[in-house]
Amino acid sequence: MLLDEVDHVAIAVRDLDAAVSWYTETFGAEVSHRERIESDGVEEALIAVADSYVQLLTPTRPDSTVAKFLETKGEGIHHVGYRVKDCATALEAAVASGARAIDSHPRPGSRGTTVAFLHPKTAFGTLIELVQE
Ligand code: CO
């Protein structure tokens, strides 16, 4: 089994502050990490739930893939991140099994992680992120 744990569930939102406030007021949640990832054109707020996170995600520019997602699908679950021991190994194994990769090689993610995305087309409609801490 290449997947160790659910790292995060990412939710695309239009207003990050409003979404954070909602989680805070509704569940007493606290933001454990907030980061702007310029290369992806997104800003995230991570809310820890046990050893996993809810990742609230909003676009910072109109050409961001999250902006396009919001346009076509509206707010909601954007992707699931799975924690793996070795991103390159997991990516290679998935591709060898027929999964379509968005990233041909692992790349830097937020929090200093190494990540790679698998296309929803071959994953039953779910965008999957492989996350190595
Ligand atoms: Co993610």
Side-chain angles (χ1 to χ4, degrees), residues 8 10 55 79 117 129:
H8 61 276
Q55 179 192 50
H79 67 270
F117 280 90
E129 181 179 11

Side-chain angles (χ1 to χ4, degrees), residues 56-80:
L56 302 171
L57 203 54
T58 203
T60 54
R61 51 170 200 260
D63 66 337
S64 149
T65 54
V66 176
K68 282 167 197 156
F69 179 92
L70 285 171
E71 254 171 53
T72 56
K73 296 188 171 154
E75 293 179 306
I77 292 180
H78 182 262
H79 67 270
V80 177

